[in-house]
Amino acid sequence: MRIGAIHQTYAQAEALFDTSVQRFMLLVLFAGLVLFPFFADQYWIYLACLVLIHIVSTTGLNILTGYTGLVSLGQAAFMSVGAYTVAILEIRVGTPFIINLVVAGFVSAGVGMVVGIPSLRVKGLYLAIATIAASFILHFLFANGPAILGGTQGLSMPPARLFGYDLARPFQLYWLFMPLTALSVLAAANLFRTRIGRAFIAIRDRDISAEVLGIPLLKYKLLSFALSSFYAGVAGGMWAYFFRVVTPESFPLIYSVFFLAAVIVGGMGTILGAILGAIFMTMVPEFLKIAVSYMTFIPNAVAQLSPIRTIVFGLLIIGFLLFEPQGLAEIWRRVRRFFHLWPFKK
């Protein structure tokens, strides 16, 4: 618990950034995000765009799993709904990309609500299996559905356009993804200052007690599924604009496991955890690949050590589960507490 902060009103106590240091750090972060693409090469901008997509999707899953306590392994499937929606709108209708992303979010939210109906009866592992079943159903529909979906070949779509200019390169898409991600994270942070967010937390902590207190479980569980799927749909639309090819194989089940691992590693039930988890899960494999590439004393090191790199990545995740189950967000909180007390800490 942080000390030294005196709140005189409820608004001050509920403020997202209540100290001058926090506001200064936010300003530094904003400046860093703005300056980053001017100093980084295309590879790192590419990774930054991928991280931004993953942050949006992980934040959505954290709303469902971290804050509401409903385990889902269908986040990638909901992303595929958003990706296909954007691709069809871009190819067939030609509406602006912002409208396409919003529509993709709402379509995914509708699908998420349908998938979330069993959540009133089942939870835990059984709910996770239900979301896996939904993933296979959606995969079958995309591969064998109407011709408008492109079948197993998928859909190739044109780039996003703004004021007549194509947003095709990572540098250009970065300026689209960065504000969208910031807005998504800010909206999620504010959600848990509302009655809806508190209802989600009450359901997570004890759903029976929440129902006794007057919280309609089905309504709020479906709403949580809808919000999580909305975020996934937007992330899927961003993914479609980024890669511009959408196929049934673009969003496998392992991708959903990726997002669940990001929530766990980052810290369940924290907005910061979703951000840190998405960054960790995206960047650590890249850093391991770079480290392996420097081992020039081993012939064909990248190919030879690729399995070892995967094993190391898996061991890192297991290490977090064993030694820091509250994730990277808790490590960050400990660092902050240390400096709040320094130099008075014994």
Side-chain angles (χ1 to χ4, degrees):
M1 181 177 180
R2 186 160 57 87
I3 63 173
I6 301 176
H7 300 134
Q8 296 179 336
T9 65
Y10 179 76
Q12 290 177 349
E14 286 296 298
L16 291 177
F17 307 100
D18 58 348
T19 67
S20 58
V21 174
Q22 288 179 333
R23 289 187 284 270
F24 173 75
M25 294 301 295
L26 181 65
L27 183 63
V28 171
L29 175 63
F30 176 76
L33 291 174
V34 171
L35 294 175
F36 168 78
F38 295 104
F39 295 94
D41 60 24
Q42 287 295 313
Y43 174 73
W44 289 105
I45 299 175
Y46 166 89
L47 289 178
C49 290
L50 201 58
V51 165
L52 293 172
I53 295 171
H54 289 164
I55 287 174
V56 174
S57 189
T58 306
T59 300
L61 183 60
N62 207 15
I63 292 173
L64 181 66
T65 301
Y67 282 99
T68 316
L70 303 175
V71 181
S72 171
L73 283 171
Q75 196 71 353
F78 300 135
M79 283 182 67
S80 69
V81 174
Y84 269 95
T85 302
V86 163
I88 292 171
L89 290 175
E90 192 68 47
I91 295 170
R92 303 284 182 172
V93 184
T95 46
F97 64 85
I98 290 295
I99 295 177
N100 294 343
L101 290 174
V102 173
V103 172
F106 279 110
V107 172
S108 297
V111 174
M113 291 182 70
V114 173
V115 175
I117 291 175
S119 65
L120 188 63
R121 289 284 186 178
V122 297
K123 54 185 177 180
L125 178 62
Y126 300 101
L127 181 59
I129 293 174
T131 58
I132 292 175
S135 300
F136 285 116
I137 292 171
L138 288 171
H139 181 276
F140 177 83
L141 291 176
F142 290 138
N144 303 281
I148 193 174
L149 297 175
T152 56
Q153 300 274 331
L155 299 172
S156 297
M157 54 180 284
R161 293 180 63 84
L162 181 64
F163 303 124
Y165 293 97
D166 289 343
L167 305 179
R169 296 186 296 112
F171 178 85
Q172 297 165 326
L173 287 170
Y174 178 86
W175 300 107
L176 167 63
F177 292 170
M178 190 263 286
L180 276 175
T181 302
L183 183 62
S184 300
V185 171
L186 182 63
N190 279 283
L191 172 67
F192 298 99
R193 304 163 67 202
T194 67
R195 181 176 180 179
I196 295 174
R198 294 188 182 100
F200 289 165
I201 296 172
I203 292 172
R204 177 197 66 189
D205 292 343
R206 189 68 175 175
D207 56 352
I208 297 177
S209 300
E211 189 173 25
V212 170
L213 292 172
I215 297 174
L217 294 185
L218 181 60
K219 172 186 173 182
Y220 281 100
K221 285 184 177 181
L222 292 183
L223 183 57
S224 181
F225 262 100
L227 286 172
S228 176
S229 302
F230 181 89
Y231 273 72
V234 173
M238 295 164 65
W239 192 98
Y241 278 121
F242 190 51
F243 292 102
R244 291 168 50 196
V245 176
V246 182
T247 70
E249 307 302 327
S250 299
F251 300 93
L253 179 62
I254 192 66
Y255 207 19
S256 294
V257 176
F258 171 95
F259 290 116
L260 184 60
V263 170
I264 294 171
V265 169
M268 298 179 66
T270 64
I271 299 299
L272 179 63
I275 298 171
L276 296 178
I279 295 172
F280 179 91
M281 292 295 294
T282 307
M283 298 304 298
V284 168
E286 296 297 326
F287 288 140
L288 291 174
K289 182 168 67 175
I290 293 172
V292 168
S293 67
Y294 280 106
M295 296 182 181
T296 54
F297 54 88
I298 301 177
N300 199 13
V302 175
Q304 294 291 333
L305 299 179
S306 181
I308 298 176
R309 176 167 54 89
T310 305
I311 293 171
V312 171
F313 183 50
L315 290 175
L316 286 173
I317 296 176
I318 294 173
F320 272 105
L321 293 175
L322 292 176
F323 301 108
E324 189 47 84
Q326 296 184 11
L328 293 167
E330 178 61 24
I331 295 176
W332 172 248
R333 281 193 290 265
R334 288 177 184 167
V335 172
R336 289 184 59 192
R337 283 197 295 267
F338 173 83
F339 284 103
H340 283 143
L341 294 173
W342 184 85
F344 305 104
K345 183 178 176 61
K346 293 182 180 179

